Amino acid sequence: MDRERQIKNKMITMQHVAKTFVTERKTTRIIDDISLEVKENELVALFGPGQCGKTTLLNVMAGLEKATSGEIIVNGEKVTRPGPDRGFVYQTLALFPWLTVMGNVCFGPRMRGISKKEREERARYYIDLVGLKGFEDSYPVQLSGGMKQRVGIARAYCNEPSVLFMDEPFGHLDAQTRYLMQDELMRIWEKEKRTIVFVTNNIEEAIYLADRVIVLTNCPTQVKKEYIIDLPRPRDYVDPGFLALREDISSVVDKTL
Amino acid sequence: MEQLDYKKSKRKYWLLSAASVIVFVFIWWFSTAVLKLAKPITLPDPVTIIKTFIVKLTHTAPDGGTLVGNTLASVKIALSGYVMAILVGVPLGVLMAWFKPVDRFVRPLFDLLRPVPGIAWIPLMIVIFGIGITSKIVVIFLTAFVPCVVNSYTGIRQTRDVHLWVGQTFGASNLQLLTTVAIPTALPFIMTGIRVALGSSWCAIVAAELLASSEGLGFMIQQARGINRPDIIICGMLAIGAIGALMTFLLGIVEKHVVKGVMHK
Amino acid sequence: MKVSISGAKEKTLRQMKAEEAAKNVLCALISIFVFCLVWHLGTRNGTKLGELLPGPVETLSYFFRGFAANIGTYTMVGHMIWSFMRVFIGYVIAMLIGIPLGVAMGWSKTANAIFRPIFEVIRPIPPIAWIPLSIVWFGIGEGSKYFIIFLGAFTAMTINAYAGVTSVDEVLVGAARMLGADEKQVFINVVMPSAVPSIFAGLQIALSSSWGVVLAAEMIRSSEGLGWIIISGQNTNNNVQLLAGIIAVGVVGFASVLLMREIERRLCSWTERGR
């Protein structure tokens, strides 16, 4: 019931968003008229088949790419370009290789002109939160895959955005690390509640993490169906309710190569 | 609609480039031909250079060769040294990378010679072979040889163990592994070496002709300097640049056909 | 760490590496010795080549004596300094112009559209081909030498700075923007650091090319420098001096490569290669 009260304000509103790519020879429609809403502190998973426009959709929501038509409102403001009120965690990590863990995590506050003492203090808190205490001075090249993604999460959190976008953040990790990082994300999220939009191509991951799963179609992408996941947390991969949902969602997903 | 915007922005930059060239040539022409800021024996105007170019295509004065004749002389020597360098350098690099003993014995010598720029060999080769074609070909050979060896060596060393293991499980011999796994892996690198070597050979022939020669583009511009004819110098330089670019372009076409399975820019 | 091979005696990795290194050094010494022996035998009295060229002993002793006694007006060190200063001045000017130009061309499409065509005309002309024109423009003194060294270094620096800036990972730029960096901050904090390795590669190529160019310039017109040692050796039939000059060129070239590698190691410590 506590969650019910938390999830009430609209955090993200998308209305009739479409996106077309233009290249030398042709134009391709990637996103075809999507409208959706995300409430405050809700964790929404965007789930769809391999080559659908999930990442593009996320980039458009974040303001990294411009929508061809339609509008996106995040926390009451129209999204026109990238901004620090929205955090982003990348599948390809996108850590700055020339900065240490500390340098990466305090990058955002540094850009916004927060004093060195304050930003390092804040960065230390988040580095500790993601479990990387003691690695402040390491360079990304010295870290393992799971540790790098912890840095990515800490970096996004440290900027204290109202929304976090995650683009298949555990896509490159091996299966064991992936399970571990899913639990870690749950732990971090329980401690520091944020609105999260999470893109994944893994059904179990979507059901395991999300309050709500939005199933997307193939290109041009549209919303196929929405599922509210009201299983209690921590969730169990072999719980009958979980398996039933998995079965249900699998049956509606477009099958492609 | 969107397609149109895309084309428009491309055309905008293209026009900007064209305008930049026109402005550059105009300023050059205006300051030399009209304002006379520079004497013709320092910097002739662009019109004079075009005239000289046309005249020089058929006239042999003052250096005894037409532009075409000099170009052919330079290209002939540069290419012969270059081809020899490829024929010796590439196999040597491959052998050094594939056979440990060859590497152990040859590499120290190679490392001794490598830091000496090709140009430094010119006087020595003139002493040994005299002023003539041979000394120039040897200098070009030495210059082009280094990148051929270095790049083939690096290329072979890029061979991935996994690929070698695949070859071994299919029962390939050492020599078969070299020809079917290592050399294809190295091919893009080898081609890069061959491309770098082309640039170095072209540069070396010009240097050799500046120092000692009786024909060729380098000789032509050196002679033109002696008699204060900067128009011929600039013509020669533009010809040197154009021929160099043309050869690189042709090699690029060859490269595209030879190297498969990588993204070409 | 122990590496065990069944049946063979166990060796540590360090021992194996040391053995490998010892073998390499031994083979290197043998091959250099054989080279010198062939050189010695080929140029001994009475052979045809011997009339032209001095042997290794004579050449090396001339080279080392050059550090104490003058060759021409300077000692070997003096000539090295002359060549070095010429390279240094032309090279620094090229850095000051080439790197900003390449960066500007990579960062702004407009700058690229404006400078690219003129640059593409200059680029394929070997710097050495500029020697006659630079003598016409700047005379036979130092000015013309700085100018062609500048040209020799400039193109490689510009191209690599351009490549470094354009090859910046778009995702990193996006990440910085998402974290609140504005255009200027993206440029300083993302584009420039990620272009450093490429710019550095350009500096290395430029160094070896300007090293070749200074020799050519000195051979054509000068009265000091390593290029002069070689060419005056040829002109005065002093072939010992010629060979000693080539050795000096090799030594300086090798030293400069080592120096650049060390600087790269410190500057790009975060890359795989720098490590």
Side-chain angles (χ1 to χ4, degrees):
Chain A
M1 283 306 103
D2 192 34
R3 287 201 59 75
E4 287 300 312
R5 251 177 290 121
Q6 279 179 7
I7 302 177
K8 57 181 184 209
N9 301 327
K10 275 182 220 164
M11 193 49 125
I12 305 173
T13 317
M14 280 178 85
Q15 276 174 340
H16 304 295
V17 169
K19 171 78 187 170
T20 309
F21 270 126
V22 184
T23 59
E24 196 106 26
R25 296 218 173 79
K26 55 175 184 180
T27 57
T28 320
R29 201 158 180 79
I30 305 286
I31 300 173
D32 191 25
D33 191 17
I34 289 187
S35 300
L36 55 85
E37 282 181 357
V38 179
K39 301 185 193 78
E40 189 173 359
N41 290 350
E42 190 181 17
L43 202 167
V44 172
L46 300 176
F47 168 71
Q51 290 301 313
C52 82
K54 293 177 301 233
T55 298
T56 310
L57 179 60
L58 202 66
N59 285 347
V60 168
M61 286 169 95
L64 283 164
E65 288 178 41
K66 271 205 172 70
T68 313
S69 62
E71 71 171 5
I72 303 134
I73 292 164
V74 172
N75 205 11
E77 277 186 52
K78 206 177 159 199
V79 173
T80 50
R81 55 196 169 92
D85 59 322
R86 286 148 282 145
F88 209 107
V89 179
Y90 296 81
Q91 178 183 20
T92 52
L93 308 162
L95 301 178
F96 304 112
W98 53 87
L99 296 178
T100 58
V101 170
M102 176 56 90
N104 267 287
V105 175
C106 41
F107 189 88
R110 181 157 68 93
M111 291 301 107
R112 289 186 295 132
I114 289 165
S115 75
K116 190 177 161 78
K117 187 166 165 279
E118 195 183 327
R119 69 179 185 239
E120 288 197 348
E121 202 172 297
R122 198 194 291 175
R124 252 177 251 289
Y125 170 75
Y126 286 107
I127 290 172
D128 195 19
L129 180 70
V130 299
L132 280 180
K133 207 177 179 126
F135 290 95
E136 287 87 350
D137 297 325
S138 305
Y139 284 94
V141 80
Q142 297 166 303
L143 303 178
S144 69
M147 287 159 91
K148 282 183 198 161
Q149 200 47 284
R150 284 170 199 260
V151 180
I153 293 169
R155 183 175 69 175
Y157 258 104
C158 189
N159 222 17
E160 305 193 327
S162 49
V163 185
L164 279 168
F165 296 106
M166 302 195 174
D167 183 10
E168 300 191 29
F170 310 142
H172 280 334
L173 303 179
D174 62 85
Q176 282 308 317
T177 317
R178 192 167 184 155
Y179 290 136
L180 175 71
M181 286 304 292
Q182 287 167 2
D183 288 336
E184 281 291 282
L185 180 63
M186 281 295 99
R187 178 181 65 78
I188 295 163
W189 183 63
E190 292 293 343
K191 195 153 183 225
E192 291 273 336
K193 273 279 159 68
R194 290 287 188 282
T195 312
I196 296 182
V197 180
F198 191 102
V199 163
T200 180
N201 57 11
N202 181 317
I203 303 187
E204 283 95 348
E205 187 167 83
I207 304 172
Y208 189 75
L209 297 174
D211 293 319
R212 186 153 56 105
V213 175
I214 297 175
V215 181
L216 302 171
T217 65
N218 257 329
C219 248
T221 303
Q222 283 176 311
V223 175
K224 185 121 191 183
K225 205 168 174 189
E226 281 194 30
Y227 291 86
I228 308 278
I229 316 289
D230 50 6
L231 300 169
R233 295 172 204 267
R235 289 170 184 164
D236 183 353
Y237 275 107
V238 288
D239 175 74
F242 192 103
L243 293 172
L245 264 169
R246 185 189 188 288
E247 185 86 22
D248 199 0
I249 297 177
S250 301
S251 65
V252 303
V253 179
D254 291 348
K255 301 287 188 294
T256 47
L257 267 176
Chain B
M1 189 52 209
E2 288 130 1
Q3 190 79 46
L4 209 71
D5 281 354
Y6 183 78
K7 279 189 178 149
K8 238 188 209 163
S9 84
K10 277 203 111 175
R11 191 189 300 154
K12 187 186 114 191
Y13 291 118
W14 200 88
L15 284 175
L16 207 55
S17 294
S20 146
V21 174
I22 292 168
V23 168
F24 177 81
V25 175
F26 179 77
I27 292 176
W28 177 8
W29 173 80
F30 195 72
S31 52
T32 49
V34 181
L35 296 177
K36 312 270 183 207
L37 289 178
K39 286 188 209 130
I41 56 156
T42 312
L43 182 64
D45 65 280
V47 181
T48 312
I49 287 172
I50 294 170
K51 278 186 196 154
T52 308
F53 178 79
I54 295 166
V55 170
K56 195 66 190 139
L57 279 176
T58 49
H59 284 65
T60 53
D63 48 76
T66 62
L67 191 59
V68 180
N70 282 325
T71 305
L72 287 179
S74 300
V75 169
K76 203 172 68 191
I77 298 173
L79 286 187
S80 19
Y82 173 59
V83 170
M84 279 168 56
I86 295 174
L87 293 180
V88 179
V90 172
L92 182 65
V94 170
L95 292 178
M96 274 165 66
W98 195 250
F99 298 105
K100 196 109 208 204
V102 181
D103 190 24
R104 286 215 172 102
F105 285 105
V106 179
R107 199 143 71 119
L109 288 181
F110 183 72
D111 281 344
L112 274 185
L113 299 184
R114 198 162 87 139
V116 180
I119 294 157
W121 296 112
I122 297 174
L124 180 65
M125 293 311 146
I126 291 175
V127 167
I128 298 178
F129 299 104
I131 298 178
I133 290 185
T134 321
S135 59
K136 273 180 243 160
I137 291 181
V138 175
V139 167
I140 289 155
F141 172 80
L142 283 173
T143 315
F145 171 74
V146 174
C148 286
V149 174
V150 173
N151 282 277
S152 325
Y153 183 89
T154 322
I156 295 285
R157 282 292 163 99
Q158 301 293 319
T159 312
R160 290 178 42 203
D161 283 342
V162 192
H163 290 157
L164 289 178
W165 294 333
V166 172
Q168 277 165 346
T169 36
F170 285 116
S173 67
N174 196 27
L175 198 67
Q176 280 173 322
L177 284 180
L178 175 64
T179 53
T180 58
V181 179
I183 291 181
T185 307
L187 210 53
F189 290 85
I190 294 178
M191 284 311 290
T192 304
I194 288 178
R195 186 152 29 85
V196 174
L198 181 65
S200 328
S201 331
W202 192 232
C203 183
I205 182 67
V206 173
E209 286 171 350
L210 282 179
L211 278 171
S213 184
S214 54
E215 57 174 357
L217 289 170
F219 173 71
M220 182 179 99
I221 62 176
Q222 180 72 337
Q223 290 297 306
R225 184 188 70 74
I227 55 164
N228 279 330
R229 285 286 302 273
D231 50 334
I232 296 183
I233 300 183
I234 293 175
C235 272
M237 284 168 59
L238 291 176
I240 291 168
I243 301 288
L246 179 70
M247 290 196 296
T248 311
F249 173 73
L250 293 178
L251 189 65
I253 295 178
V254 175
E255 190 172 345
K256 246 184 208 168
H257 285 280
V258 173
V259 181
K260 309 271 185 204
V262 295
M263 295 277 275
H264 289 286
K265 274 182 208 154
Chain C
M1 199 206 301
K2 292 238 173 181
V3 180
S4 82
I5 307 152
S6 60
K9 62 175 181 202
E10 292 187 3
K11 287 179 196 165
T12 63
L13 202 61
R14 179 181 281 178
Q15 276 172 343
M16 284 166 68
K17 270 190 180 162
E19 254 177 48
E20 191 73 357
K23 261 187 205 163
N24 281 343
V25 169
L26 186 70
C27 291
L29 287 177
I30 293 173
S31 85
I32 290 170
F33 177 77
V34 170
F35 173 76
C36 290
L37 194 69
V38 170
W39 180 6
H40 177 75
L41 293 176
T43 56
R44 69 185 190 281
N45 289 339
T47 59
K48 208 174 158 210
L49 203 60
E51 288 164 19
L52 288 173
L53 295 179
V57 180
E58 202 184 333
T59 306
L60 283 175
S61 77
Y62 187 91
F63 171 74
F64 286 113
R65 266 187 285 130
F67 284 90
N70 279 2
I71 303 172
T73 26
Y74 300 94
T75 63
M76 193 62 95
V77 178
H79 287 293
M80 283 177 181
I81 290 172
W82 267 102
S83 297
F84 172 79
M85 282 313 288
R86 285 168 180 155
V87 169
F88 182 76
I89 291 170
Y91 189 79
V92 168
I93 299 172
M95 265 169 84
L96 295 179
I97 297 176
I99 295 176
L101 179 65
V103 168
M105 279 164 61
W107 184 239
S108 139
K109 279 188 178 171
T110 309
N112 189 37
I114 292 173
F115 294 114
R116 168 73 41 165
I118 295 163
F119 183 73
E120 285 300 325
V121 171
I122 295 177
R123 183 164 84 131
I125 301 174
I128 288 166
W130 284 86
I131 294 179
L133 193 63
S134 74
I135 293 177
V136 170
W137 284 351
F138 300 99
I140 54 168
E142 295 301 297
S144 63
K145 293 188 185 71
Y146 300 150
F147 179 67
I148 48 171
I149 290 160
F150 159 75
L151 281 170
F154 162 79
T155 37
M157 289 178 184
T158 309
I159 292 168
N160 278 271
Y162 172 83
V165 170
T166 48
S167 65
V168 57
D169 187 351
E170 277 305 316
V171 175
L172 283 186
V173 173
R177 292 225 166 100
M178 286 307 308
L179 289 166
D182 59 31
E183 200 79 346
K184 201 176 129 200
Q185 285 174 319
V186 166
F187 180 74
I188 295 171
N189 293 293
V190 182
V191 176
M192 284 317 285
S194 62
V196 163
S198 175
I199 290 177
F200 204 79
L203 290 179
Q204 279 170 313
I205 298 170
L207 184 63
S208 66
S209 117
S210 49
W211 184 230
V213 170
V214 76
L215 293 179
E218 287 173 348
M219 284 183 192
I220 289 170
R221 273 299 165 114
S222 77
S223 48
E224 61 284 302
L226 295 179
W228 174 85
I229 295 186
I230 296 175
I231 202 77
S232 90
Q234 184 207 340
N235 290 339
T236 58
N237 273 330
N238 187 350
N239 292 336
V240 191
Q241 184 183 325
L242 194 167
L243 280 176
I246 292 180
I247 291 176
V249 166
V251 169
V252 175
F254 185 66
S256 71
V257 169
L258 286 187
L259 179 74
M260 284 308 246
R261 256 185 224 158
E262 180 60 28
I263 296 175
E264 178 178 30
R265 209 173 57 81
R266 298 208 175 159
L267 219 62
C268 310
S269 59
W270 47 271
T271 60
E272 300 274 4
R273 204 180 144 197
R275 227 151 242 295

